[in-house]
């Protein structure tokens, strides 16, 4: 039976963070020019991906580590550099392959859609707006005061959609924040495999190689 709603994570699920970081790299490289004389864009990009850790590192620490990778340990303000990231990155946001198509497909089947994402409203809403992702409900962890895998962000989104957990599916890339979190509140969990270091363990989940694979689990009849 089809679900009444499908909820999605944002970063590395509907938003292709790796491609976005690549797109943002030239602007960041230029901003850091005073400290990076002679560092090629190619080398900068490779280092950027290595230090980024999928965005899970606070930006102040990330910027410090990034410059340290090039031997720069002083003479910069990590707060200013983090602010540059926060105010600029969303403009380069790129969608995950199949993101618009799966949202459209679900809508076409009368299935509601939601986005449940960690981080601040400022950062995440800017990406959602830039990508023009249309979902029936969006919950950003800052709004509920606690991050996934805590149940609150998931439950808040389900409440807004007026759907019970067992009627909903969740699609995300993070083994703990998404898969364990969604499963714990009673949703069926789909793991989008995106270079995550950890696989979900001890949890029932379905593996997706791409967002479009979700269509395989939907019946063609409208709910
Ligand atoms: Mg994610």
């Amino acid at each position: 039976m089809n679900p009444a709603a499908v909820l999605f994570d944002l970063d590395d699920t509907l938003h292709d963070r790796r491609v976005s970081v690549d797109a943002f790299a030239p602007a960041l490289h230029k901003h850091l020019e005073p400290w990076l004389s002679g560092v090629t864009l190619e080398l900068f990009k490779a280092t950027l991906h290595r230090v980024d850790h999928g965005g899970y590192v606070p930006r102040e620490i990330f910027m410090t580590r990034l410059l340290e990778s090039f031997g720069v340990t002083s003479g910069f303000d990590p707060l200013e550099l983090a602010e540059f990231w926060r105010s600029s990155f969303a403009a380069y946001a790129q969608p995950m392959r199949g993101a618009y198509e799966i949202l459209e497909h679900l809508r076409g089947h009368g299935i509601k859609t939601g986005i449940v994402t960690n981080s601040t409203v400022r950062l995440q809403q800017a990406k959602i707006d830039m990508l023009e992702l249309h979902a029936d409900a969006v919950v950003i962890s800052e709004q509920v005061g606690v991050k996934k895998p805590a149940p609150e962000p998931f439950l808040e989104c389900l409440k807004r959609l007026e759907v019970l957990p067992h009627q909903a599916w969740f699609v995300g890339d993070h083994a703990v924040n998404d898969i364990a979190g969604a499963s714990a509140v009673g949703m069926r969990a789909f793991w989008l495999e995106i270079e995550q270091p950890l696989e979900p363990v001890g949890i029932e989940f379905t593996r997706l190689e791409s967002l479009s694979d979700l269509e395989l689990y939907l019946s063609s009849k409208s709910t």
Side-chain angles (χ1 to χ4, degrees), residues 149 154 174-187 189 200-201 203 205:
F154 299 102
H174 198 281
V176 177
N177 295 353
D178 297 321
I179 304 309
S183 177
V185 301
M187 282 187 272
V201 282
I203 308 156
F205 70 94

Side-chain angles (χ1 to χ4, degrees), residues 1-222:
M1 204 170 91
N2 280 346
V6 178
L7 282 55
F8 294 85
D9 167 49
L10 181 62
D11 290 328
D12 280 330
T13 299
L14 292 175
H15 165 229
D16 194 333
R17 186 182 166 84
R18 197 177 165 81
V19 174
S20 303
V21 167
D22 251 354
F24 179 46
L28 186 60
H29 184 250
K30 192 169 168 47
H31 189 76
L32 298 178
E33 219 167 24
W35 299 278
L36 297 181
S37 60
V39 175
T40 64
L41 181 59
E42 201 180 336
L43 173 63
F44 180 70
K45 268 188 187 179
T47 310
L48 187 57
H49 284 296
R50 185 164 47 76
V51 180
D52 182 47
H53 280 295
Y56 294 105
V57 180
R59 293 299 91 180
E60 288 80 0
I61 296 170
F62 158 77
M63 283 296 185
T64 303
R65 287 185 188 163
L66 182 62
L67 287 174
E68 278 175 359
S69 313
F70 297 104
V72 180
T73 54
S74 62
F76 60 88
D77 178 3
L79 297 179
E80 184 276 321
L81 297 180
E83 178 54 26
F84 177 75
W85 181 290
R86 292 192 187 107
S87 60
S88 315
F89 181 54
Y92 298 85
Q94 302 293 317
M96 186 63 77
R97 187 165 51 89
Y100 300 121
E101 291 81 356
I102 193 66
L103 291 172
E104 190 59 43
H105 188 85
L106 293 168
R107 257 192 299 277
H109 283 67
I111 299 168
K112 293 176 186 175
T113 56
I115 298 173
V116 184
T117 176
N118 283 347
S119 188
T120 63
V121 172
R122 179 190 174 197
L123 281 180
Q124 302 306 74
Q125 192 61 51
K127 288 180 209 161
I128 291 166
D129 292 346
M130 183 67 201
L131 293 169
E132 297 186 34
L133 292 170
H134 301 296
D136 298 305
V138 174
V139 173
I140 301 169
S141 65
E142 187 184 40
Q143 296 166 323
V144 289
V146 58
K147 292 179 179 180
K148 298 178 292 181
E152 288 85 348
F154 299 102
L155 295 175
E156 177 61 25
C157 191
L158 291 167
K159 193 172 103 183
R160 292 190 201 172
L161 294 170
E162 299 179 323
V163 167
L164 294 171
H166 72 269
Q167 301 173 310
W169 293 356
F170 192 88
V171 181
D173 69 295
H174 198 281
V176 177
N177 295 353
D178 297 321
I179 304 309
S183 177
V185 301
M187 282 187 272
R188 180 174 177 185
F190 290 80
W191 186 48
L192 185 63
E193 269 193 280
I194 303 284
E195 294 180 31
Q196 281 283 2
L198 293 176
E199 282 213 16
V201 282
I203 308 156
E204 223 176 279
F205 70 94
T206 306
R207 193 181 296 260
L208 298 178
E209 283 182 14
S210 68
L211 287 174
S212 62
D213 281 359
L214 191 70
E215 292 180 22
L216 305 172
Y217 297 90
L218 293 164
S219 95
S220 54
K221 282 186 221 146
S222 294

